[in-house]
């Protein structure tokens, strides 16, 4: 998801590239108070901050990019790896210094760390006033009010139904072209390494009509691309009677209408052919041929799939409780190539040095990468998370040095593959959506092709939001360079 995350103007952490951070921009809509939100981790978290900003805006708060001027500071946190939590703790101690000089300031910890650590955070970080989990954001104005009166507030209740479907997010750090729409919450998979099912609760799907309305409204406001977000979008399943996946699967009575992900994708794609549709993340066990065929039917559904493999070895995949093996994954990739062709972008997440991983099992990950030819990947070494199945049952026994070396080998392999995949594009003409200024030069713009690759072109005569035909002339492992042909 890194490419998606880069879009929203992130300040990158020097020491930990795996943990991204976004801050709120300055906005003046006549609110009487200022809110500063710093968001860490995945795109879902950034999307949640847009919901938080909307709830707070309805209660008189404008956003600010300067925490020193804020009445309320929220840290929307990530627990996925230990490093992400350490980063947040460091930041909290900096904010606490501000609070010691400005006692009326309210500091709140939101998101996954709030859920994981609960009251412990209030005890450890004495100057934190609020601890609020991902399903309790509607309670924020009330809890902020209590904090202003001097009492500390905790709400880490995990809901089985909450999807914030009726809340229209305030677009933070938006380029005005691409927006993210959360289509589901929580996760019912129990990947043994992962803390998400514990911090974000059970899987719920959001009312498809509210999703289509949000996408249509964005298109009417000039947006040209929406990305449908969920931990496991292919598992999306909704009926008017039930939005909780586990309960829906148990229903014996016939339901009026059951919407699956392929249906939702089609509903959004039909809003307008000039609205591009993307989605993330796909789970290899759930992505169906129906989804691939829907992607093929609609030119405006981008030909790009983020399909995290985690490991290329079947024994490790079983220990990770991913519920597919190497052959299943390769079969899904074959099907993607058969239906969507060689140009469809495929990316992955990889974990190096999971519990008991041997050298030859690590080699299986490298050979998997060669077979699939990923366009890019998000690569991590294993970080044991308290409370997960792996932490309870498996020894974290691969030495740190070995994890780091294996990760480096994976990164090097990915760099070679990314370059090869990009070189294939040289000479082709592709449709690019212009998203913004190139970071390197004011005379260049950056856009993205259907396969989610960044393409740099000369700025002359182009506007952000334009669709243009571009001939690819050159590339690096991270970027394509092209010339506009029309
Ligand atoms: N739902 C997505 C999926 O199933 O692919 C992933 C969500 S998670 C926020 C993003 C990535 O973080 C995972 O795909 C995994 O590679 C990585 N990750 C999760 N837990 C981890 C851990 N304990 N140590 C290292 N990497 C981890
Ligand atoms: Fe975590 Fe697995 Fe759910 Fe992804 S599918 S959020 S890795 S438990």
């Amino acid at each position: 998801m890194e490419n998606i995350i880069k879009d929203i103007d992130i300040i990158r952490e020097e020491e930990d590239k795996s943990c991204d951070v976004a801050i709120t921009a300055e906005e003046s809509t006549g609110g009487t108070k200022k809110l500063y939100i710093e968001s860490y981790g995945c795109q879902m978290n950034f999307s949640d901050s847009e919901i938080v900003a909307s709830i707070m805006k309805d209660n008189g708060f404008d956003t600010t990019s300067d925490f020193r001027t804020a009445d309320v500071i929220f840290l929307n946190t990530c627990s996925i790896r230990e490093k992400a939590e350490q980063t947040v703790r460091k930041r909290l101690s900096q904010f606490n210094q501000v609070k010691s000089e400005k006692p009326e300031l309210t500091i709140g910890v939101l998101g996954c760390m709030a859920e994981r650590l609960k009251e412990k955070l209030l005890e450890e970080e004495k100057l934190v006033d609020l601890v609020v989990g991902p399903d309790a954001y509607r309670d924020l104005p009330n809890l902020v009010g209590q904090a202003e009166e001097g009492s500390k507030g905790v709400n880490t209740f995990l809901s089985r139904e909450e999807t914030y479907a009726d809340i229209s997010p305030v677009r933070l750090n938006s380029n005005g072209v691409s927006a993210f729409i959360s289509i589901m919450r929580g996760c019912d998979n129990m990947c043994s390494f992962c803390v998400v099912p514990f911090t974000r609760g059970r899987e719920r799907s959001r009312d498809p009509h509210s999703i289509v309305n949000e996408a249509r409204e964005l298109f009417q406001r000039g947006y040209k691309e929406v990305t449908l977000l969920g931990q496991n979008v292919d598992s999306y399943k909704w009926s008017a009677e039930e939005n909780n996946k586990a309960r829906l699967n148990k229903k014996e009575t016939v339901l009026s209408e059951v919407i699956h992900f392929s249906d939702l994708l089609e509903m959004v794609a039909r809003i307008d052919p000039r609205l591009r549709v993307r989605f993330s993340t796909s789970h290899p066990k759930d992505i169906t041929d129906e989804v691939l065929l829907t992607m093929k039917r609609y030119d405006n559904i981008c030909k790009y799939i983020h399909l995290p493999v985690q490991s290329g070895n079947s024994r490790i995949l079983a220990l990770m409780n991913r519920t597919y093996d190497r052959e299943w994954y390769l079969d899904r990739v074959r099907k993607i190539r058969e239906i969507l062709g060689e140009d469809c972008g495929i990316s992955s997440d990889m974990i190096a040095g999971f519990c008991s991983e041997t050298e030859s099992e690590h080699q299986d990950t490298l050979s998997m990468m060669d077979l699939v030819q990923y366009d890019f990947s998000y690569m991590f070494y294993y970080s044991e998370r308290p409370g997960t199945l792996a932490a309870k049952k498996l020894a974290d026994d691969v030495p740190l040095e070995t994890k780091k070396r294996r990760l480096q080998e994976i990164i090097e392999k990915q760099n070679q593959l990314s370059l090869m995949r990009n070189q294939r594009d040289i000479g082709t003409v592709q449709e690019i959506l212009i998203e913004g200024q190139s970071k390197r030069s004011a005379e260049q713009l950056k856009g993205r092709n259907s396969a989610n690759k960044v393409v740099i072109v000369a700025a002359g005569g182009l506007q952000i939001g334009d669709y243009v035909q571009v001939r690819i002339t050159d590339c690096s492992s991270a970027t394509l360079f092209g010339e506009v042909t029309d």
Side-chain angles (χ1 to χ4, degrees):
M1 211 175 277
E2 187 175 61
N3 272 30
I4 297 172
I5 289 168
K6 270 188 204 146
D7 285 351
I8 57 169
D9 206 20
I10 303 292
I11 303 161
R12 299 196 134 255
E13 286 290 298
E14 288 311 317
E15 75 273 27
D16 181 9
K17 295 256 185 312
S18 65
C19 183
D20 288 284
V21 46
I23 59 170
T24 39
E26 208 64 41
E27 195 197 33
S28 285
T29 61
T32 51
K33 292 184 179 172
K34 287 279 181 196
L35 167 68
Y36 173 88
I37 315 179
E38 206 164 279
S39 318
Y40 290 83
C42 65
Q43 188 55 55
M44 288 295 292
N45 245 15
F46 299 138
S47 238
D48 275 7
S49 292
E50 298 187 334
I51 289 169
V52 168
S54 173
I55 292 170
M56 296 299 284
K57 187 177 181 176
D58 288 347
N59 286 271
F61 282 84
D62 276 339
T63 53
T64 176
S65 57
D66 180 2
F67 63 82
R68 287 173 204 85
T69 65
D71 301 287
V72 173
I73 294 178
F74 288 151
L75 272 156
N76 194 357
T77 59
C78 171
S79 289
I80 206 85
R81 283 167 289 276
E82 195 185 351
K83 195 75 188 262
E85 289 199 356
Q86 284 167 0
T87 309
V88 166
R89 281 184 190 276
K90 259 192 241 158
R91 198 64 178 138
L92 263 179
S93 66
Q94 288 165 354
F95 290 147
N96 284 342
Q97 277 169 19
V98 181
K99 186 163 162 92
S100 59
E101 287 155 27
K102 188 178 168 187
E104 69 279 14
L105 174 68
T106 300
I107 300 180
V109 175
L110 315 184
C112 290
M113 266 175 89
E115 199 59 54
R116 204 176 80 71
L117 298 167
K118 303 187 177 166
E119 286 87 353
K120 221 170 144 217
L121 261 177
L122 288 180
E123 287 154 26
E124 286 171 17
E125 307 286 340
K126 296 265 182 276
L127 295 175
V128 170
D129 304 295
L130 303 178
V131 175
V132 184
D135 286 344
Y137 295 149
R138 287 180 202 269
D139 201 19
L140 277 170
N142 168 40
L143 293 168
V144 167
Q146 282 178 25
E148 282 168 354
E149 302 291 309
S151 51
K152 307 242 170 199
V154 184
N155 188 343
T156 51
F157 171 74
L158 280 177
S159 160
R160 286 176 174 253
E161 293 87 20
E162 178 65 273
T163 60
Y164 301 108
D166 56 316
I167 292 179
S168 177
V170 168
R171 302 290 158 189
L172 302 172
N173 309 91
S174 166
N175 59 9
V177 175
S178 335
F180 298 88
I181 301 182
S182 178
I183 64 163
M184 60 205 293
R185 298 185 71 81
C187 183
D188 279 356
N189 296 320
M190 288 299 260
C191 301
S192 61
F193 53 80
C194 185
V195 82
V196 168
F198 305 98
T199 60
R200 301 190 75 95
R202 300 307 298 261
E203 188 177 312
R204 296 138 269 167
S205 296
R206 178 178 165 191
D207 183 334
H209 307 101
S210 78
I211 296 168
V212 170
N213 286 343
E214 188 174 329
R216 186 178 292 116
E217 199 206 308
L218 284 163
F219 182 65
Q220 285 161 355
R221 283 168 48 199
Y223 283 81
K224 297 283 175 59
E225 182 178 280
V226 291
T227 302
L228 309 180
L229 283 181
Q231 293 298 350
N232 181 5
V233 288
D234 300 279
S235 155
Y236 177 94
K237 193 171 178 185
W238 178 92
S239 84
E241 292 84 357
E242 184 60 73
N243 76 355
N244 177 288
K245 175 85 183 281
R247 290 202 299 235
L248 182 52
N249 283 344
K250 279 192 203 137
K251 283 248 174 214
E252 279 164 15
T253 51
V254 180
L255 301 161
S256 50
E257 177 194 33
V258 176
I259 306 284
H260 293 93
F261 183 58
S262 55
D263 307 316
L264 176 71
L265 208 46
E266 179 150 27
M267 287 161 78
V268 179
R270 289 174 76 137
I271 291 173
D272 195 290
R274 289 161 301 160
L275 179 69
R276 273 185 171 184
V277 187
R278 299 188 184 277
F279 55 88
S280 190
T281 296
S282 293
H283 194 298
K285 81 173 161 55
D286 289 314
I287 189 163
T288 59
D289 292 356
E290 201 43 53
V291 166
L292 303 178
L293 292 166
T294 308
M295 289 175 76
K296 186 182 168 75
R297 270 202 305 280
Y298 289 89
D299 285 345
N300 60 328
I301 303 181
C302 290
K303 305 301 179 270
Y304 163 63
I305 300 173
H306 183 54
L307 194 69
V309 67
Q310 313 296 357
S311 163
N313 175 269
S314 295
R315 187 185 76 90
I316 293 294
L317 287 169
L319 286 180
M320 287 177 166
N321 199 25
R322 289 289 287 182
T323 69
Y324 55 83
D325 60 12
R326 181 177 170 98
E327 283 62 42
W328 172 279
Y329 187 92
L330 285 171
D331 183 63
R332 290 288 77 206
V333 172
R334 258 192 299 279
K335 209 66 192 175
I336 292 170
R337 294 285 174 232
E338 185 186 310
I339 296 176
L340 297 169
E342 287 300 318
D343 292 339
C344 179
I346 304 181
S347 61
S348 184
D349 294 348
M350 240 75 78
I351 299 179
F354 186 65
C355 310
S356 77
E357 184 190 66
T358 64
E359 212 50 47
S360 85
E361 289 166 340
H362 162 62
Q363 290 298 324
D364 285 345
T365 298
L366 296 174
S367 72
M368 173 67 101
M369 294 172 75
D370 276 329
L371 286 172
V372 181
Q373 306 239 323
Y374 293 109
D375 292 270
F376 46 88
S377 294
Y378 309 105
M379 299 157 281
F380 316 101
Y381 63 76
Y382 174 58
S383 157
E384 186 179 83
R385 306 310 293 133
T388 56
L389 295 182
K392 285 184 193 150
K393 296 204 170 134
L394 304 170
D396 178 14
D397 53 1
V398 177
L400 184 60
E401 283 318 304
T402 308
K403 286 181 184 173
K404 286 188 174 171
R405 193 250 308 148
R406 289 182 189 168
L407 175 61
Q408 197 48 41
E409 288 172 11
I410 290 173
I411 292 171
E412 277 161 23
K413 166 75 69 191
Q414 185 56 59
N415 286 342
Q416 292 161 11
L417 291 173
S418 297
L419 184 62
M420 271 169 54
R421 286 286 295 173
N422 285 352
Q423 282 167 342
R424 284 183 74 252
D425 288 320
I426 295 178
T428 61
V429 175
Q430 308 184 354
E431 186 178 69
I432 309 299
L433 172 62
I434 303 293
E435 292 176 359
Q437 205 77 52
S438 146
K439 287 207 172 90
R440 295 216 183 104
S441 157
E443 276 137 45
Q444 291 180 323
L445 291 173
K446 66 166 183 173
R448 212 171 278 267
N449 69 6
S450 179
N452 205 32
K453 294 181 185 175
V454 172
V455 185
I456 304 292
V457 290
L462 298 180
Q463 306 235 341
I464 292 170
D466 283 350
Y467 282 110
V468 280
Q469 295 294 320
V470 169
R471 184 182 307 282
I472 305 302
T473 53
D474 199 1
C475 73
S476 67
S477 60
T479 315
L480 300 176
F481 302 90
E483 289 167 0
V484 176
T485 63
D486 59 359

